Amino acid sequence: MRRLLLTSLAFLALGSAAEAQSRTRLTVYTALENEQLAPFKAAAERAVPGIEIAWVRDSTGIITARLIAERANPRADVIWGLSVFSLLALEGQDMLEPYTPSGAAALRPNFRSSREPMTWTGMDAFVSAICFNRVVAAQRGLPRPTSWADLLQPAFRNQVAMPNPASSGTGFLTMAGWISSQGEAPAWDFMTRLHDNIQVYTHSGSAPCNNAARGEYAVGLSFDMRSVALRNQGAPIDVIVPTDGVGFDLEATAILRGTRNLDAARRLVDWTVSREANELYGRFYALVAHPEAVTTVQNYPADFAERLVNQDFAALAGRRDELLREWARRFDGKSAPR
């Protein structure tokens, strides 16, 4: 009996090893939040037999720079969960594999590439928001802001943290929103005045809200879903979508040109546009690409859609490097060490 059991276990082990060897390992570059990686990987590997996802995760700016640096010798197969600003920049360098995923026509029109075949498909949208710590504000006698302009008050000196736009997609979409809503010259003037109240520019879009939730600052400029998640976990913060207009970004998916695993990459991307995948995104984001997907985010501000600015993704992506150089020239002195 013991010999039979050992033999059975050996066959099971061999079967598992053979199955693992038969799977195609896809290297997937992403800027998704860390807590999203495990559920996204598990769902995709269940839905797409024969693939294994190996994440390479970092902030938006770092992942984008890495992809460009590797252009001559691509290491990624798929990009899943990266700013559309970044993907449009990569598209401009002919780095994305043309492919229209099965089912992509069902996505919202502004959540997909206008090219044929497509070069990217959207997943979800997120907006810049203010994390406002009520406890710190009460201790310091700070007023509750309702607009970006409110943050220019002297009372907020050294009480604001913001993501660095060069390393954080959240930082870039926040800056892009100011440029789109105010015009470029007034936006630079606004950022110069806000700089006086900034304590630090972080290299992560989540960090300012995390810092504010811990009471390190009264105000963290971050993105909506990080703010809502922390509030739902009990942090003493208000999630404020400013009344004077907010920038927004799409997280999107693409196949990297030059992948050696094109068939497996296409099958994964087919699934990423499905209603099933979008309902997974809807556990973390209030607005997703598939109009029939049900989202389940709680305590999300009801009026955010009316406050989205009118922004030209392609034009901003085309000027991204120029805008970031100017931002660094003016403000990089307060950035956190890397």
Side-chain angles (χ1 to χ4, degrees):
M1 179 65 70
R2 183 172 180 273
R3 180 177 296 175
L4 180 60
L5 178 59
L6 290 173
T7 302
S8 299
L9 290 172
F11 276 117
L12 286 172
L14 286 171
S16 298
E19 180 184 357
Q21 289 177 358
S22 69
R23 291 191 295 172
T24 300
R25 183 181 176 90
L26 290 175
T27 299
V28 181
Y29 280 27
T30 188
L32 291 168
E33 294 298 296
N34 282 312
E35 63 267 25
Q36 296 168 3
L37 300 184
F40 282 30
K41 172 182 168 72
E45 291 178 353
R46 281 196 306 270
V48 188
I51 69 162
E52 177 187 2
I53 290 174
W55 294 115
V56 175
R57 192 265 171 202
D58 215 313
S59 60
T60 298
I62 294 172
I63 284 290
T64 305
R66 180 169 179 170
L67 284 160
I68 292 171
E70 295 172 356
R71 180 182 179 186
N73 184 26
R75 300 181 184 179
D77 297 298
V78 173
I79 303 163
W80 184 14
L82 189 65
S83 163
V84 73
F85 288 116
S86 294
L87 290 182
L88 286 167
L90 300 178
E91 178 187 84
Q93 298 190 44
D94 200 28
M95 293 175 60
L96 304 182
E97 176 73 23
Y99 177 63
T100 299
S102 176
L107 302 182
R108 301 177 196 273
N110 58 343
F111 273 72
R112 59 185 192 235
S113 166
S114 60
R115 294 193 177 188
E116 184 57 46
M118 297 178 186
T119 50
W120 58 270
T121 48
M123 300 166 52
D124 54 71
F126 57 96
V127 306
S128 50
I130 297 172
C131 286
F132 182 66
N133 189 304
R134 299 185 301 272
V135 174
V136 174
Q139 291 169 347
R140 296 178 179 271
L142 301 177
R144 185 183 187 278
T146 59
S147 67
W148 298 119
D150 288 343
L151 297 179
L152 301 180
Q153 298 177 54
F156 288 104
R157 182 65 55 90
N158 296 328
Q159 285 301 308
V160 182
M162 175 183 166
N164 180 322
S167 51
S168 162
T170 302
F172 185 75
L173 79 90
T174 301
M175 179 176 74
W178 294 333
I179 291 171
S180 298
S181 63
Q182 301 178 28
E184 189 164 342
W188 286 120
D189 178 66
F190 168 80
M191 285 185 272
T192 299
R193 296 166 65 196
L194 179 64
H195 183 71
D196 291 337
N197 289 348
I198 295 284
Q199 175 66 27
V200 66
Y201 297 104
T202 68
H203 296 293
S204 160
S206 303
C209 196
N210 295 340
N211 295 344
R214 290 193 295 264
E216 296 175 23
Y217 313 107
V219 173
L221 308 190
S222 190
F223 63 99
D224 51 350
M225 299 318 304
R226 168 53 54 182
S227 312
V228 170
L230 289 169
R231 178 183 173 183
N232 288 344
Q233 292 167 17
I237 57 173
D238 288 343
V239 182
I240 300 169
V241 180
T243 57
D244 41 356
V246 292
F248 67 104
D249 196 357
L250 307 179
E251 284 187 309
T253 301
I255 299 172
L256 200 67
R257 187 185 288 274
T259 173
R260 297 179 178 86
N261 299 301
L262 183 57
D263 178 67
R266 285 175 170 174
R267 289 190 293 117
L268 172 60
V269 171
D270 284 345
W271 182 76
T272 68
V273 304
S274 67
R275 178 173 175 174
E276 176 189 5
N278 275 256
E279 291 188 343
L280 176 60
Y281 309 151
R283 290 167 45 188
F284 302 93
Y285 300 93
L287 181 61
V288 298
H290 200 298
E292 296 177 6
V294 177
T295 61
T296 54
V297 178
Q298 296 181 339
N299 295 319
Y300 192 87
D303 50 0
F304 82 100
E306 292 75 29
R307 298 181 183 178
L308 300 181
V309 301
N310 182 20
Q311 61 188 30
D312 186 332
F313 285 109
L316 288 163
R319 297 190 59 210
R320 183 177 183 273
D321 290 345
E322 171 196 347
L323 293 170
L324 292 178
R325 282 194 299 270
E326 182 63 17
W327 185 92
R329 185 185 71 80
R330 293 173 181 248
F331 309 125
D332 203 30
K334 287 188 178 180
S335 290
R338 289 185 182 272

